[in-house]
Amino acid sequence: MAIDPKIASIKAAGTYRFEFDKSQVVSIPANQVRLIVGFSKTGPFNTPVFIPDSGFFKQVYGDIDRNLERKDSYFHRSCLSALERGPILALNLLALDSDDQVQYRKFSTAATTFNDNDNIARLEEYSGFYNKDKFWFPEDEAFLKLVGATDTYVSTSTNDLLDFTNLGQNPVSVIIRKAAPANVAGFNVTVEEWYGSANVPGFLDKDSLISDFMVDIFFIQGNFGGDFGTANPYERFLADPIYQEYFDKNRGIKRKRSAADTTDTYLEEFFNESEVNVFAQYTACLIPDFIDQLGNNLFVETLVNADTASTGMFCAVNQDLFSGDILLDGVDGGLDLIGHNLEREQPNTVNFLSYEGPISADFQACRAPSDLQTIEVDTGASISVTTLTTGELELTYIGAAGDPLYDVLSALIPNTGTTVGSFIKTTGGNYYAPVTGVNATAGSVSLTFSSTNLVPGDLSFVAGDAITYLNPTDLVQVSGSWNGATYEVEVIGGPTSELYQNFASGVYTDGDQAVYKDLSPGGLESVSSLVFDADSYGYISEGFSTEVAISDSTYNLPVVKVTPYTDDTYTTPSTLAEFNLNGADGIGFSFVSSDGTEINVAPGTPYCLGIQSLAGANNITFDIIADSTTPGSGLFPNQVLIDAAELNTGAIVVGNYLVHDEGLVSGNSRLTRINEVQGGVTNSTNSAVPVGVTALLVTCQSEISVDTVGSVKKVELYYPIDSWIEYFNIFTFEGFNLIPTKHVPNGTNDRQNEILNGTLNGTNLFKALTDREVINFRYVVDTFGNGIESGSKAIYTRLCQSRKNAFAIVNAPSADDFKKSTNPSFKDATGSL
């Protein structure tokens, strides 16, 4: 190693003082730049990065990694040493294949379109998110092509208007909400006012506010996301003393401490926990290349992707759909953070961005049996039943594909401890036997059953028998809870019933109500507060008062149990006189909906449970006194008069919405924002107001839709989504995990060659490095050890040869490598080199 001239000048022992000015950085001509090649666990890969100083290098790639150095990889130390003499180009090599995948999600930006794949992240090839034409860099076009985005608008799709992935190596949790009012105060102007009436983009409605297209995005370090493939996505937080107060096991993180709060107070408290690190936050616009009045580009893709190197998060928006030829504002699959199309679509739930929750105020669950299936045993059929050594029973049928009985039996689904399968009713009709195994061959099909409570004769079907069976999709039963002798007050919903599905998706909330009415003159109404619980149930319902037990309780059905209480503290259960789904069909009693409609009024029809969802009440209907068609009112089409004494007029405030277009003609409904509410209007100021009545004058942004029912005119009000969705979903993006046994140097030539050849041998990266019009460097510096093999590190030679004007500085094997080598051996008979 060369010795510093100052030290070389010392002639004798002693104490000397020298000054070395580290602030002086040598200026290296562009044609002498050093390209230093190696491996780092962090930082950009497969693209040269200009590094001006050691501080920048450590920020991008980290400090010296001694674990890698023990594996003969010295990238960090080599770069830091070279930076003492001037800037460098650093090239971190990562060899990837199609098995290396990373999560992505397609978020819906419309209230009437669901997030893709029921919130469950999809996987795609990691390298596919990058442009690999020359040097690698993440690219929105590559992202969109990889996930199948098209330039065709589809109303039932998210249309890739907001897609995210995590290209980093650490998990990131994400919350996306409509921008808080405080963050978009300067954008509460209409599209027409912002762009000018002659320049309104064709994909927007002129009466929308610019703030309607703004979102707040939070990136949180770590995994706080829901396990969306499970019934209770956030259940793991309930046992955590810090986080348990913030999370509901089904619905996510609670937004507000009090319903009266105007901001997301609970969420803010969560962010302030010392264990929670919100490392990036954006208020961004969904409109491509949106520029504010100060010249800042607020487009979500631009803001998020500017920080990808530090956050790992990468965003892609399908900008091809913003051509102006397609209206995206307020339509399914478009941009609708307000809920314009809720009036037309009338969905039961919403699931877009981080919002998920029930909408419909009323739900019905009608009493119903499971959907029984039968198949007849033909004459001459061969069925045998034996007891296996495991104690299970095995039914074997001799047949082949195309035989109806064979086809039915071979398609049955085994039950497991966690998965619902198929059931067969025993010959005596006493039990439903759970199928625990299915083995279909070319000439026979064998079924295994738990032998609990069964003997072989229970499954010994003969010619002429009709075998009753149920597959999982047939378990739609809804009934009172059978205890073996009578029905109890609780209601049970089978695993594929709508009642269960709504429960599993969080549509119902503890505290929802049911009203049970005595239809006799002067009869009373009983109000019950409902509690919804997951439970296990041991009966198959074949009809009213016909419940058949499951033979082995290990395979009882997963159900939802609805328990009614007379109070909202869930202390006193309701009685059958106050809540009864199993009364005589349609006679004497009925559940009623929130508007007082009796659900069960036809004799002979099954009772239907009416569930009044408290969270789902997102709209109210008001009778009006006058509109623009009322003689003498002097009102404009965007104005109505409403009696101030009418119920719920407290909801008539600026920022709520009235229906503008019900969508009967256009196919898309639209709301209009309340801009002004003037109280104290009387007959003396407007002759359309009856004498003695005080009215509210409501003025909206655009024309109000007025319905006439009989002689009464009505308008419909909608609350903003922010006011009735109580929880946020959190989505975790795991990022890319380096596999030590695949991606990371391990001190062997084989792994080193996999890295070098996988990135530089015949690749576009190699071609770019050899193109002097693309990159300028003089020296290629190898930072790997090893190399005792034929053609060792020849890729560097080929690189410099192809470039013509470059020089490779390649590490030779260390003395320790030579000592350890056995074929060939470099030691003499004494064991010395």
Side-chain angles (χ1 to χ4, degrees):
M1 184 176 75
I3 300 177
D4 189 281
K6 293 181 180 180
I7 299 175
S9 66
I10 297 174
K11 303 300 183 182
T15 302
Y16 300 86
R17 183 187 182 96
F18 300 103
E19 290 187 5
F20 298 90
D21 189 354
K22 291 288 187 179
S23 67
Q24 296 179 2
V25 178
V26 178
S27 178
I28 296 180
N31 60 1
Q32 296 181 22
V33 170
R34 298 152 295 170
L35 175 68
I36 300 183
V37 182
F39 177 85
S40 173
K41 295 178 182 177
T42 60
F45 55 85
N46 299 344
T47 187
V49 178
F50 179 76
I51 307 293
D53 54 52
S54 59
F56 182 79
F57 176 85
K58 291 178 181 179
Q59 181 181 353
V60 176
Y61 294 105
D63 208 340
I64 291 173
D65 190 330
R66 288 178 170 77
N67 287 327
L68 285 177
E69 292 189 345
R70 284 192 282 270
K71 305 297 184 182
D72 287 326
S73 179
Y74 303 93
F75 178 69
H76 297 78
R77 188 180 297 275
S78 300
C79 288
L80 291 171
S81 297
L83 284 166
E84 295 179 2
R85 305 297 298 167
I88 64 171
L89 289 171
L91 178 58
N92 172 26
L93 297 180
L94 178 62
L96 298 171
D97 58 32
S98 60
D99 291 331
D100 296 315
Q101 296 184 322
V102 71
Q103 294 174 329
Y104 73 92
R105 282 185 168 91
K106 299 182 178 188
F107 288 99
S108 169
T109 54
T112 48
T113 303
F114 279 16
N115 287 333
D116 177 60
N117 202 33
D118 293 329
N119 294 330
I120 300 172
R122 296 183 186 271
L123 290 171
E124 268 298 351
E125 186 175 344
Y126 186 34
S127 64
F129 293 93
Y130 289 81
N131 181 312
K132 304 186 288 291
D133 290 344
K134 293 180 180 178
F135 303 133
W136 289 32
F137 62 91
E139 182 188 54
D140 58 343
E141 290 185 9
F143 187 160
L144 294 170
K145 180 179 179 181
L146 181 69
V147 302
T150 70
D151 59 2
T152 302
Y153 162 77
V154 180
S155 63
T156 56
S157 163
T158 68
N159 288 300
D160 298 281
L161 298 184
L162 190 63
D163 295 356
F164 276 94
T165 187
N166 179 8
L167 301 178
Q169 296 179 32
N170 298 310
V172 176
S173 296
V174 178
I175 296 174
I176 310 175
R177 70 181 183 189
K178 186 180 184 298
N183 296 338
V184 291
F187 300 101
N188 288 324
V189 296
T190 67
V191 168
E192 185 174 37
E193 291 170 324
W194 185 271
Y195 289 100
S197 58
N199 299 309
V200 173
F203 55 83
L204 297 179
D205 186 285
K206 66 181 182 64
D207 290 322
S208 291
L209 300 182
I210 293 296
S211 59
D212 293 346
F213 308 103
M214 308 287 282
V215 293
D216 289 332
I217 302 173
F218 304 93
F219 292 159
I220 310 165
Q221 189 175 51
N223 181 2
F224 291 95
D227 300 323
F228 294 108
T230 65
N232 303 308
Y234 301 92
E235 189 170 26
R236 69 185 189 276
F237 293 107
L238 300 189
D240 190 297
I242 296 174
Y243 303 126
Q244 58 190 197
E245 70 168 303
Y246 297 106
F247 286 90
D248 178 89
K249 65 180 181 180
N250 293 318
R251 306 175 68 186
I253 188 166
K254 190 171 180 64
R255 294 178 53 201
K256 300 178 180 181
R257 182 167 285 279
S258 167
D261 292 343
T262 57
T263 61
D264 292 330
T265 47
Y266 239 137
L267 183 66
E268 292 162 5
E269 291 180 23
F270 173 74
F271 287 162
N272 288 329
E273 291 283 357
S274 58
E275 293 81 0
V276 177
N277 177 22
V278 181
F279 65 90
Q281 178 178 342
Y282 308 89
T283 296
C285 186
L286 300 176
I287 302 172
D289 296 320
F290 178 82
I291 308 297
D292 70 8
Q293 301 287 12
L294 299 177
N296 300 310
N297 191 328
L298 300 185
F299 181 35
V300 59
E301 185 181 287
T302 301
L303 291 181
V304 171
N305 294 351
D307 295 335
T308 297
S310 57
T311 66
M313 295 301 298
F314 191 70
C315 173
V317 174
N318 188 2
Q319 298 183 50
D320 289 342
L321 294 183
F322 291 84
S323 63
D325 299 329
I326 304 169
L327 178 67
L328 297 178
D329 182 356
V331 302
D332 295 345
L335 304 177
D336 183 11
L337 310 186
I338 303 301
H340 288 292
N341 220 23
L342 294 177
E343 171 69 12
R344 174 66 174 168
E345 297 293 343
Q346 295 290 310
N348 287 335
T349 62
V350 296
N351 181 13
F352 73 109
L353 302 182
S354 283
Y355 299 101
E356 184 175 12
I359 293 179
S360 299
D362 289 288
F363 298 90
Q364 291 185 18
C366 296
R367 192 178 68 220
S370 283
D371 190 7
L372 306 182
Q373 309 294 323
T374 60
I375 182 72
E376 187 170 341
V377 181
D378 291 336
T379 302
S382 175
I383 296 178
S384 61
V385 181
T386 59
T387 302
L388 303 177
T389 56
T390 60
E392 292 180 298
L393 301 180
E394 182 179 68
L395 180 155
T396 300
Y397 172 67
I398 305 301
D403 174 349
L405 182 56
Y406 176 94
D407 292 343
V408 165
L409 297 182
S410 61
L412 296 179
I413 299 171
N415 288 270
T416 70
T418 57
T419 304
V420 180
S422 303
F423 296 82
I424 286 182
K425 191 174 183 180
T426 58
T427 55
N430 298 325
Y431 291 106
Y432 273 93
V435 177
T436 57
V438 179
N439 181 27
T441 65
S444 67
V445 57
S446 296
L447 308 178
T448 53
F449 300 85
S450 165
S451 61
T452 301
N453 290 321
L454 298 179
V455 296
D458 290 326
L459 299 169
S460 297
F461 299 100
V462 297
D465 284 347
I467 299 177
T468 301
Y469 66 95
L470 291 161
N471 284 319
T473 54
D474 302 320
L475 297 169
V476 295
Q477 63 192 60
V478 175
S479 68
S481 179
W482 182 257
N483 62 13
T486 187
Y487 288 108
E488 298 178 333
V489 71
E490 295 89 351
V491 171
I492 297 297
T496 50
S497 66
E498 185 177 3
L499 180 64
Y500 184 89
Q501 298 301 317
N502 284 345
F503 162 72
S505 60
V507 171
Y508 303 133
T509 305
D510 288 352
D512 286 353
Q513 294 182 339
V515 178
Y516 187 65
K517 182 179 181 181
D518 182 347
L519 300 181
S520 61
L524 300 177
E525 291 185 348
S526 301
V527 179
S528 296
S529 294
L530 308 180
V531 172
F532 301 85
D533 293 302
D535 204 355
S536 174
Y537 189 63
Y539 294 91
I540 302 289
S541 179
E542 293 188 334
F544 183 46
S545 297
T546 308
E547 311 289 333
V548 180
I550 295 171
S551 59
D552 186 344
S553 61
T554 304
Y555 304 103
N556 281 356
L557 302 180
V559 297
V560 56
K561 181 174 72 173
V562 184
T563 305
Y565 292 87
T566 60
D567 56 291
D568 57 11
T569 60
Y570 317 129
T571 304
T572 307
S574 302
T575 65
L576 288 171
E578 299 165 317
F579 182 102
N580 188 358
L581 189 64
N582 290 284
D585 287 345
I587 299 175
F589 295 87
S590 176
F591 287 95
V592 298
S593 60
S594 58
D595 62 2
T597 302
E598 297 165 358
I599 299 172
N600 309 106
V601 292
T605 59
Y607 268 33
C608 293
L609 168 62
I611 300 173
Q612 299 178 17
S613 170
L614 305 181
N618 68 321
N619 59 339
I620 305 174
T621 299
F622 291 97
D623 296 345
I624 65 170
I625 295 172
D627 63 358
S628 62
T629 66
T630 304
S633 69
L635 299 179
F636 294 104
N638 64 327
Q639 294 178 315
V640 292
L641 286 168
I642 299 176
D643 189 341
E646 190 169 340
L647 291 175
N648 299 312
T649 52
I652 304 174
V653 295
V654 173
N656 286 346
Y657 296 84
L658 297 183
V659 173
H660 161 69
D661 179 1
E662 295 182 359
L664 300 178
V665 176
S666 65
N668 294 295
S669 57
R670 188 164 185 86
L671 309 179
T672 178
R673 186 175 185 269
I674 298 176
N675 288 342
E676 183 182 359
V677 179
Q678 178 186 342
V681 180
T682 64
N683 180 262
S684 63
T685 55
N686 191 308
S687 61
V689 179
V691 175
V693 173
T694 301
L696 302 175
L697 174 61
V698 183
T699 303
C700 291
Q701 179 62 38
S702 53
E703 183 177 350
I704 300 168
S705 174
V706 178
D707 289 329
T708 301
V709 180
S711 60
V712 179
K713 293 183 176 181
K714 297 177 179 288
V715 296
E716 191 171 3
L717 178 142
Y718 274 82
Y719 294 99
I721 288 175
D722 261 13
S723 69
W724 50 270
I725 296 292
E726 298 178 344
Y727 295 83
F728 280 142
N729 272 329
I730 304 180
F731 304 89
T732 294
F733 294 79
E734 296 292 346
F736 178 69
N737 292 320
L738 288 173
I739 302 174
T741 57
K742 178 179 181 181
H743 301 114
V744 182
N746 62 0
T748 66
N749 287 329
D750 288 343
R751 179 63 53 77
Q752 176 183 276
N753 290 334
E754 288 171 4
I755 294 172
L756 291 173
N757 293 328
T759 55
L760 297 177
N761 191 5
T763 63
N764 289 340
L765 175 59
F766 181 89
K767 294 176 183 178
L769 290 172
T770 60
D771 188 342
R772 284 180 284 176
E773 298 297 323
V774 174
I775 187 171
N776 194 7
F777 61 87
R778 173 61 174 162
Y779 301 100
V780 178
V781 181
D782 167 43
T783 64
F784 291 107
N786 311 118
I788 303 177
E789 62 178 350
S790 175
S792 172
K793 303 182 181 179
I795 193 70
Y796 295 121
T797 305
R798 293 199 296 273
L799 173 61
C800 293
Q801 181 183 28
S802 300
R803 190 173 174 84
K804 307 295 186 187
N805 69 338
F807 185 79
I809 302 173
V810 182
N811 281 330
S814 66
D816 189 51
D817 290 331
F818 283 114
K819 286 181 180 179
K820 292 179 179 178
S821 178
T822 58
N823 185 21
S825 174
F826 297 92
K827 294 184 290 187
D828 59 20
T830 65
S832 301
L833 281 174

